[in-house]
Amino acid sequence: MPDSENAQSIIAGIDVGGTFTDLLLVADDGVKVIKTPTTVENQAYGVLAALAETGAPLSEIDAIVHGTTTTTNAVLERKLSRTGMITTKGFRDIIEVGRRTRPQPYGMFGRFEPIVSRDLRLEVPERMDAAGRVVVDLDEEAVKEAASQLLNLGCESVVVHFLHAYANPDHERRAVEILRDVWPNDYITAGHELLSEYREYERGVTAAVNAAVRPILHRYVDRLQSELTQEGFRRDFLVMNGNGGMVSARLVDREAAKTVMSGPASGVMAAAHAAKRAGIDNLITYDMGGTSTDVALVMDAVPAVSNELDVEYAMPIHVPMVDVRTIGSGGGSIAAVSDAGLLKVGPESAGASPGPICYGRGGAEPTITDANLLLGRLNPENLLSTENAPSLDAIRGIFDDKIAGPLSIDTDAAAGAVIRVANDRMAGAIRIVSISKGHDPRDFTLFAFGGAGPLHAVALARELGIPRVLVPTRPGITNALGCVVADVRHDFVRTVNRPLDLVDMGEVQEIMSAQVKEGRDLIESETISIENIRVFHGADMQFIGQTHLISVPLPRLDATREEIQAIFEKAYFDRFQVKLPEIRANLVNLKTSVIGERPDFDLGRIMDARLRAKTVENARIGTRQVWFDGEWLETAIYARDKLPTGGQFGGPAIVEQMDTTIVVEPGNTVLVDEDGNLSIEIGDHS
């Protein structure tokens, strides 16, 4: 494991979004920021194009860290590999029966399509009980026959999912051994290897998702690695996982499901890093891009990580992932009037192609970006200066025809309504990660990034009572920054599922010690520089008879039974304000996170200090009329790169930079901190 004295001199962080591919190149002699269109047909092309624009020979780049939406898109769009499942006789319908919920609780209709279709789920005789004792021996010939049948049905990938394998994985291990002799590739997933946790439905779906996306991720990573090698890159590149850590490309496809939410996770990690340097520990991250908006919670400078995220209905992926909530509201979200005469915004998006009307690429549907342009929030001289760009009057005409006319309002009011509806949806997402979890938004700072986030952040903060907004130096490439500053991280879960007073505490220590060792071994095998290794222990617990779990931290590896009991009872009381001393506690899962900390990155390097003006007034580049809550106001325009450290100014104001535009409302006060962040205090907007 390299030490910090041998830290890489050139690191490239790359984030592939739905609209743009962002790259941050950090070298000893400076920083480069690149933004290129995402190549949807093959994300690797956009990555290579961004690297080429840096002008840096790939042979001189020491590390490439990549956040990808490859697996996320595959799951959401159901563009999956044909996957078969071999499971315990009598239990092939577990992943379809699920938890007896419905896609629409109050609707008349709903559709659910399991990851693996029923004809590709085959049963074999075997059975373990909940204690891990063999009830029925594994029928090895049946496993061979099932494998042959799945191959004949055209399956590329296979998952082995046996009942109670978390308690005793011997049958799953043996089945995998048999499959390796007959299966033509390495796309074999055993449920217990990915998730050694009880609840057969969640474990089965997680394993099925992993199997279904593994070939897709492997081909993508292999293709990109090959292209990079041909261009002179001499190392394995690294891929962001959904837990906010990174892993080597040579290992990533084995646990492909962990890369779901990879892109959003990198932004949250960058936000936590930037906020901590600014002395802020509690924040709500708000990432609005061209296609969607992601929000997450950071407390005590640590992003919230969940083991129970549903990517979509009946799609629980129970691997540790940064708890990010996503809604279909981005700059490219299409605004339309429904047949009922109601204005809706998103989730349909114009995407990167054709994009909003103002991009001049053939877009003909009103979007949030077009609304911001009509209201003066975006600079028409810059945005409409491209070849084939429509005129401002042409965009107004489309808004009149499709929004203002059907609603019987004027164009300005129509554009304002689009912004308001979009803001309401995004405020709802923020409430989900804060108020619904028992947290008051007023106790947090809103960290706004993404190409469109700073356009809407102050309005959202005002709506939710959030006192401050923090906008980083390069909001549009914050996800790429997350790839540069992210740590190496490995998470482990093991089910115990026994009453706490009956648990063998020696066994608890053995399980967590083994988790620590495995995590350390994986981290020390990486070539990227690591300064320190941190270890966190935790447990999922419940009172006996309850269904849902509460996650609690464990202070150390050798925590006593009494300490764990006290920690759980306190966490339960803090959550529900109820004490249940007469009910026994149940220790369900033991969890360990092993984190390899990267060297600190000076965020002040991202912005060229030579461009900064001596005063705020010198950073002012003009004025224009901007719409604020029903009226047009003469508004000062500032160049972000020219704003001096320590500079202060008030709203109304617009701050423009290469990758975003920041709206400062009347009553707001802005301070430029030492890292170049804009700290916006939300005042009285009147």
Side-chain angles (χ1 to χ4, degrees), residues 137-446:
D137 290 329
L138 175 67
D139 189 332
E140 298 187 0
E141 288 301 317
V143 174
K144 294 177 184 177
E145 292 173 8
S148 178
Q149 188 176 343
L150 291 174
L151 288 171
N152 290 334
L153 291 169
C155 289
E156 181 181 19
S157 184
V158 62
V159 56
V160 180
H161 174 53
F162 290 157
L163 196 67
H164 300 309
Y166 67 89
N168 183 350
D170 286 351
H171 284 179
E172 279 196 0
R173 287 173 178 155
R174 178 56 186 153
V176 169
E177 291 176 358
I178 295 169
L179 285 168
R180 294 201 186 283
D181 291 335
V182 298
W183 205 257
N185 55 52
D186 195 40
Y187 304 142
I188 303 170
T189 297
H192 80 274
E193 292 179 346
L194 188 70
L195 182 65
S196 191
E197 182 179 310
Y198 88 135
R199 294 188 176 178
E200 307 305 314
Y201 167 60
E202 286 81 0
R203 189 165 60 87
V205 172
T206 301
V209 169
N210 190 80
V213 300
R214 188 174 177 185
I216 298 167
L217 182 62
H218 178 263
R219 282 192 287 269
Y220 171 72
V221 168
D222 190 62
R223 187 186 303 118
L224 181 55
Q225 182 73 67
S226 177
E227 295 283 351
L228 291 171
T229 301
Q230 289 181 21
E231 295 295 325
F233 187 61
R234 296 292 177 255
R235 298 174 182 259
D236 292 330
F237 72 95
L238 296 117
V239 180
M240 284 291 299
N241 265 340
N243 63 6
M246 63 180 79
V247 66
S248 172
R250 60 187 162 80
L251 302 173
V252 70
D253 75 280
R254 298 178 187 177
E255 298 182 337
K258 291 184 177 181
T259 65
V260 176
M261 306 303 289
S262 160
S266 63
V268 179
M269 300 310 296
H273 181 85
K276 186 177 182 180
R277 285 179 55 93
I280 300 170
D281 290 336
N282 297 332
L283 64 151
I284 297 170
T285 68
Y286 164 56
D287 174 13
M288 182 180 180
T291 308
S292 60
T293 292
D294 302 315
V295 297
L297 199 72
V298 176
M299 294 190 66
D300 299 324
V302 178
V305 174
S306 174
N307 287 56
E308 300 183 2
L309 287 184
D310 282 36
V311 178
E312 64 175 35
Y313 173 74
M315 188 83 63
I317 303 179
H318 277 214
V319 293
M321 291 187 285
V322 174
D323 193 357
V324 177
R325 304 294 164 160
T326 302
I327 62 169
S329 189
S333 293
I334 294 171
V337 178
S338 70
D339 294 338
L342 299 175
L343 176 63
K344 65 171 188 172
V345 182
E348 296 80 11
S349 175
S353 182
I357 305 168
C358 57
Y359 284 9
R361 298 174 184 164
E365 301 296 331
T367 68
I368 294 175
T369 296
D370 297 311
N372 277 309
L373 178 68
L374 292 180
L375 298 178
R377 297 163 179 254
L378 295 174
N379 189 341
E381 293 181 4
N382 291 341
L383 201 56
L384 302 181
S385 63
T386 58
E387 188 178 351
N388 300 321
S391 66
L392 202 59
D393 287 340
I395 300 172
R396 285 185 175 276
I398 294 174
F399 262 75
D400 284 340
D401 291 341
K402 298 194 174 187
I403 305 295
L407 294 177
S408 300
I409 56 179
D410 62 37
T411 310
D412 295 340
V418 169
I419 300 298
R420 181 58 189 267
V421 170
N423 286 349
D424 284 346
R425 291 193 68 209
M426 291 183 286
I430 293 174
R431 290 186 180 100
I432 290 174
V433 301
S434 57
I435 295 174
S436 69
K437 300 292 181 67
H439 303 293
D440 190 337
R442 294 173 295 183
D443 298 330
F444 291 79
T445 294
L446 186 64

Side-chain angles (χ1 to χ4, degrees), residues 569-588:
E569 289 182 355
K570 183 180 184 302
Y572 193 93
F573 181 81
D574 290 344
R575 179 76 177 271
F576 301 108
Q577 298 297 297
V578 174
K579 293 183 178 181
L580 301 171
E582 69 280 3
I583 305 179
R584 299 162 71 194
N586 197 48
L587 179 62
V588 181

Side-chain angles (χ1 to χ4, degrees), residues 2 6 23 77 91 113 117 138 147 247 375 496 506 519 524 540 561 622 625:
N6 299 314
L23 183 146
E77 298 171 12
F91 288 88
E113 181 183 346
S117 61
L138 175 67
V247 66
L375 298 178
V496 176
E524 291 174 355
D540 292 328
R561 195 188 320 271
Q625 292 286 313

Side-chain angles (χ1 to χ4, degrees), residues 604-669:
R605 297 176 58 195
I606 297 177
M607 192 168 287
D608 191 344
R610 295 171 297 181
L611 299 177
R612 292 178 177 143
K614 292 183 178 181
T615 67
V616 170
E617 189 58 32
N618 290 338
R620 182 166 168 165
I621 56 177
T623 64
R624 68 169 176 263
Q625 292 286 313
V626 180
W627 174 279
F628 290 98
D629 284 350
E631 61 178 328
W632 290 93
L633 300 177
E634 190 70 16
T635 302
I637 312 298
Y638 296 93
R640 175 73 183 273
D641 289 7
K642 293 183 178 181
L643 289 171
T645 301
Q648 297 186 54
F649 59 96
I654 297 291
V655 182
E656 296 178 348
Q657 61 186 101
M658 178 266 291
D659 54 338
T660 193
T661 297
I662 302 128
V663 173
V664 183
E665 292 183 345
N668 297 165
T669 304

